[in-house]
Amino acid sequence: VAAALRACAAIHRYLSELEQPALTPYGAAIVPLPSLVEEIEGKFSETGEMLDRASPRLAELRGRGRALQARIVAKLQQTLEAFASRALLQDRLITLRGGRYCLPVKAERVAEVGGIVHATSASGATVFVEPAEVVALGNELRIVEQAEREEVERILHELTQRVGEHVEEVARSQQSAFQLDAIFARARLAR
């Protein structure tokens, strides 16, 4: 939406500088909405990801999520070292399974490890276990992630409502841009 509105605003500027009376009605039909474009673009990165600054609540939730992830990884690193010294691990790495942080434990040694089993390897030799030490933190992270998804949905709903407030201007501007595109295409073909 922001890209379409930005393009319409550029067409509006171009036509006002062009001073072609035959095209004036098309330019007049375009309503630049710079504040709406700025509001939308201020909430997204160039790649379309919603920015932390889209709302104070989103920034707070993402900060809490990052802090929880760091605490989980730090605890898992300690657990990994302890498990590795007892030869319980298939590999010395931390992995994600179903959104939960896990350690790859040898299947025959899984009974020696406390925690929740989230997956097994295709060969059955490795069991991916979320150690008991991080289960509570993992649960808290899931709650924060759900709250983050809800906040993103709220922001998207709010932006959709803002666009809806200008639906007539947006539709009229796009229709004028489409008509101008056809006019310029015919002119290029005629030339």
Side-chain angles (χ1 to χ4, degrees):
V1 171
L5 292 175
R6 201 177 330 98
C8 285
I11 293 168
H12 181 77
R13 276 191 308 279
Y14 174 74
L15 292 178
S16 65
E17 294 167 4
L18 192 60
E19 297 178 9
Q20 286 292 326
L23 299 177
T24 300
Y26 298 100
I30 294 175
V31 180
L33 298 166
S35 62
L36 183 58
V37 171
E38 187 177 310
E39 184 178 352
I40 293 169
E41 289 180 340
K43 295 189 185 321
F44 295 96
S45 71
E46 292 294 320
T47 59
E49 297 294 318
M50 189 169 288
L51 297 168
D52 291 1
R53 69 172 184 250
S55 81
R57 172 109 172 108
L58 185 61
E60 184 256 329
L61 288 168
R62 287 184 174 171
R64 278 180 47 203
R66 285 189 290 272
L68 281 167
Q69 286 174 335
R71 286 178 56 200
I72 290 168
V73 169
K75 274 193 182 271
L76 279 175
Q77 199 63 44
Q78 292 171 350
T79 306
L80 184 140
E81 296 304 325
F83 284 6
S85 68
R86 293 172 36 208
L88 298 174
L89 298 177
Q90 196 72 359
D91 290 306
R92 291 179 63 109
L93 57 89
I94 297 169
T95 184
L96 276 172
R97 288 294 184 273
R100 304 298 287 223
Y101 287 89
C102 298
L103 296 176
V105 177
K106 293 176 181 176
E108 66 273 7
R109 307 286 306 268
V110 75
E112 300 173 47
V113 177
I116 299 172
V117 173
H118 287 285
T120 58
S121 66
S123 67
T126 306
V127 178
F128 297 95
V129 178
E130 180 181 21
E133 298 86 13
V134 297
V135 170
L137 288 172
N139 291 343
E140 190 178 345
L141 179 60
R142 292 301 280 256
I143 291 167
V144 169
E145 289 170 344
Q146 178 60 36
E148 178 186 337
R149 283 189 294 276
E150 290 169 3
E151 179 64 5
V152 166
E153 287 296 319
R154 186 196 67 75
I155 293 166
L156 290 172
H157 181 74
E158 186 178 279
L159 286 173
T160 301
Q161 285 182 315
R162 288 278 294 124
V163 171
E165 293 168 7
H166 300 282
V167 70
E168 290 178 19
E169 295 101 322
V170 171
R172 195 169 51 247
S173 294
Q174 281 192 311
Q175 186 59 38
S176 183
F178 295 154
Q179 291 170 337
L180 283 163
D181 188 41
I183 289 167
F184 281 95
R186 289 192 303 266
R188 278 193 302 274
L189 180 61
R191 195 173 322 145

